[in-house]
Amino acid sequence: MAEILAIGEAMEQALALLEGGDVVAIPTETVYGLAGDATNGVAVARIFEVKGRPRFNPLIAHVANRAMADRIAGFDPLSAKLAEAFWPGPLTLVLPQRAGNGIHPLVTAGLDTIALRMPRGFGGELIGRLGRPLAAPSANSSGRISGTTAQAVAADLGDRIRLVVDGGPTPIGLESTILKVENGKLRLLRPGGIGAEEIEAVAGAKLSRGAGGIEAPGMLASHYAPGAAMRLNVGKIAEGEALLAFGRNRAEGWERAVALRNLSERGDLREAASNLFAYMQALDRVGAATIAVEPIPVGGLGEAINDRLARAAAPRDKQAWAP
Ligand code: TXA
Ligand code: MG
């Protein structure tokens, strides 16, 4: 069972676990977060595994200060103004990523944008001490409501994690508001801890909620899709195909593949998850018309891996994100 430690006593142990690539449940002003080093793919894969999420949706990267945020993403003037007004606090901004920022692609599900937030209190201090951003979705198993007390988090995830940092009940109790500036216009991607009026007062402009009304939490208009076609569960490689492999046994004709990446030689799904986006992108860059993918087992993280591959393989007009 997870140990529950008060914020005053938890810092060193939380740091040690994060340094070791493990995950830790931490309090924030909104809800408890299940945090892992955003630069460590295996740590990020663990987050999905612990939550039992059936798909890889992009996570929020939490930063300690504006300098750390600036190393990760580019700020347009309006986003900078909102960060100035509401950080640290329950505001998440979706921004274009900077190349080479060290963020693992599993955090952003391969997107070239990233959701950033600067939390108040323990979380901010922890990130400052670690010196690296933390990826952190709400600390609850998939399909359950977000944990707002350490006890609720421990009851839900305690058999799968080592440490819950207890900061008492979270003051806001619902997730952060997510905003994105698109062509100079401010879009509300998820309502949350800061009301629209408060944001509009700072921005000096109305929020847009998208063509089809408010997007449901967790919905995304688009996601990473390779330019190449994807062929899944292949037993035999065709001429000119690139191969995304898994495990020790190769599909027939693998020597023909114009490029090959193995998600996990030893058949480890956590390792495979951490390599998934980077390898899809790498094979896509080779320029093959088709990426053939060997079968991936469906258990554990395999469900999310297969879900993502199926989305990448779907006809382009059917790729809109559906929850
Ligand atoms: O209050 C919160 O925001 C909590 C605490 C722990 O900080 N975190 C949280 O994370 O709610 P999560 O992973 O449950 O929600 C992240 C949301 C998802 O709805 C996801 O679709 C959206 O952020 N998101 C992440 N990256 C995005 C991106 N690049 N573009 C659009 N939406 C994105
Ligand atoms: Mg959640």
Coordinates of all heavy atoms in Angstrom, one line a residue, residues 51 53 138 140 146 175, ligand 2:
K51 N -3.2 4.5 -13.9 CA -4.6 5.0 -14.1 C -5.5 3.9 -14.8 O -6.7 4.0 -14.8 CB -4.6 6.3 -14.9 CG -4.2 7.5 -14.0 CD -4.4 8.8 -14.8 CE -5.8 9.2 -15.1 NZ -6.4 10.1 -14.1
R53 N -5.7 3.8 -18.0 CA -6.3 4.6 -19.1 C -6.3 3.8 -20.4 O -5.2 3.3 -20.8 CB -5.6 5.9 -19.4 CG -6.2 7.1 -18.7 CD -5.8 8.4 -19.3 NE -6.3 9.5 -18.4 CZ -5.9 10.7 -18.6 NH1 -5.1 11.1 -19.5 NH2 -6.4 11.6 -17.7
S138 N -5.1 13.9 -13.4 CA -5.8 13.8 -12.0 C -5.5 12.4 -11.5 O -5.4 11.4 -12.2 CB -7.3 14.0 -12.2 OG -7.8 13.2 -13.2
N140 N -6.6 9.5 -10.2 CA -7.8 8.6 -10.1 C -7.7 7.6 -11.2 O -7.1 7.8 -12.2 CB -9.1 9.4 -10.2 CG -9.1 10.2 -11.5 OD1 -8.7 11.3 -11.6 ND2 -9.7 9.6 -12.6
S146 N -12.1 12.6 -10.0 CA -10.7 13.0 -9.6 C -10.6 13.0 -8.1 O -11.5 13.5 -7.4 CB -10.5 14.4 -10.1 OG -10.7 14.4 -11.5
E175 N -10.8 20.5 -11.9 CA -9.6 20.7 -12.7 C -9.4 22.1 -13.2 O -10.3 22.9 -13.2 CB -9.6 19.7 -13.9 CG -9.3 18.3 -13.5 CD -10.5 17.4 -13.1 OE1 -11.6 18.0 -12.9 OE2 -10.3 16.2 -13.1
Ligands
MG2 MG -9.0 13.4 -15.0

